[in-house]
Amino acid sequence: MPFDPSSLRFDTNGLIPAIAQDAETGEVLMMAWMNAQSVARTLETGRVTYWSRSRQSFWVKGESSGHLQHLVEMRVDCDRDCLLVLVRQEGPACHTNRRSCFYTAIRDGAETEIMKPML
Amino acid sequence: MPFDPSSLRFDTNGLIPAIAQDAETGEVLMMAWMNAQSVARTLETGRVTYWSRSRQSFWVKGESSGHLQHLVEMRVDCDRDCLLVLVRQEGPACHTNRRSCFYTAIRDGAETEIMKPML
């Protein structure tokens, strides 16, 4: 069946969560939001393109930092209300310069930093 | 720093997205939502507990199906508005009986099923 981005289930703001996962290592890198057009642009360009809720604009991941996310494969979940994007990530995915945004673990009831910024 | 679930950034409905990942294989299994109390319950009980938006009630994953998610580790992202839960999943995570909810890939512009239901 041909894929139509408008067939996804978007929230009341027209957005769908997209989880970025390193296609090679399986590491979950980040979660951000897409609208129908950023889904289409991601598929067309091969560069993962989110919708920035704070700036209310398209956000080609890495466009300013150089830390591009190259699309390897997009997947849709059973409810069609969440996306998984397998990517090849250049450098850090996180704005803190860490490889992944999920660098804080809860261990024994306390927050523990488990990842250092990349050099 | 001691972890306080109320320190997370919840959306206007008091919810935060939680990505469940197989702690052993790295496979992303599903995404669902938690409120502050389901975060606390997950940490207390070791059984991943979401908030069901459709039923407006706590949802101990697998409580009725037997396909429990045992918490291995909870992680918080840089913006504190998304959780990653590393889990040991019993059986399928998806209500369609598939291991993961992300069984539909977009390949050459078409939807392709890449995973069969478990026996």
Side-chain angles (χ1 to χ4, degrees), chain A residues 24-52:
Chain A
E24 204 159 304
T25 66
E27 186 175 21
V28 174
L29 301 171
M30 57 179 285
M31 196 282 279
W33 298 81
M34 293 188 179
N35 59 15
Q37 211 180 333
S38 56
V39 172
R41 288 189 185 197
T42 297
L43 290 167
E44 278 162 27
T45 63
R47 291 190 176 182
V48 180
T49 303
Y50 301 100
W51 178 257
S52 168

Side-chain angles (χ1 to χ4, degrees), chain A residues 1-3 17 21 26 31 53 73-78 80-81 84 101-102 104-107 109-111 114, chain B residues 1-3 17 21 26 31 53 73-78 80-81 101-102 104-107 109-111 114:
Chain A
M1 150 167 55
F3 175 66
Q21 182 180 32
M31 196 282 279
R53 295 178 301 172
E73 185 163 277
M74 184 180 288
R75 295 185 188 163
V76 180
D77 82 343
C78 52
R80 305 182 75 77
D81 63 1
L84 178 66
C101 294
F102 296 95
T104 304
I106 314 300
R107 292 182 180 170
E111 299 192 20
I114 58 171
Chain B
M1 152 167 53
F3 175 66
Q21 182 180 31
M31 195 283 277
R53 296 179 299 171
E73 185 163 276
M74 185 181 287
R75 296 184 187 163
V76 180
D77 82 343
C78 51
R80 303 182 76 77
D81 64 1
C101 294
F102 296 95
T104 304
I106 314 301
R107 292 182 180 169
E111 300 193 18
I114 58 171

Side-chain angles (χ1 to χ4, degrees), chain B residues 39-96:
Chain B
V39 172
R41 288 189 184 198
T42 297
L43 290 167
E44 278 161 28
T45 64
R47 289 188 177 184
V48 180
T49 303
Y50 301 100
W51 178 257
S52 169
R53 296 179 299 171
S54 55
R55 294 191 301 270
Q56 289 287 302
S57 62
F58 291 105
W59 166 28
V60 180
K61 175 69 185 166
E63 197 173 39
S64 54
S65 66
H67 302 141
L68 290 165
Q69 276 181 352
H70 304 275
L71 181 69
V72 174
E73 185 163 276
M74 185 181 287
R75 296 184 187 163
V76 180
D77 82 343
C78 51
D79 292 332
R80 303 182 76 77
D81 64 1
C82 187
L83 299 172
L84 177 66
V85 283
L86 304 180
V87 303
R88 181 169 62 78
Q89 170 72 48
E90 294 191 36
C94 184
H95 74 287
T96 66

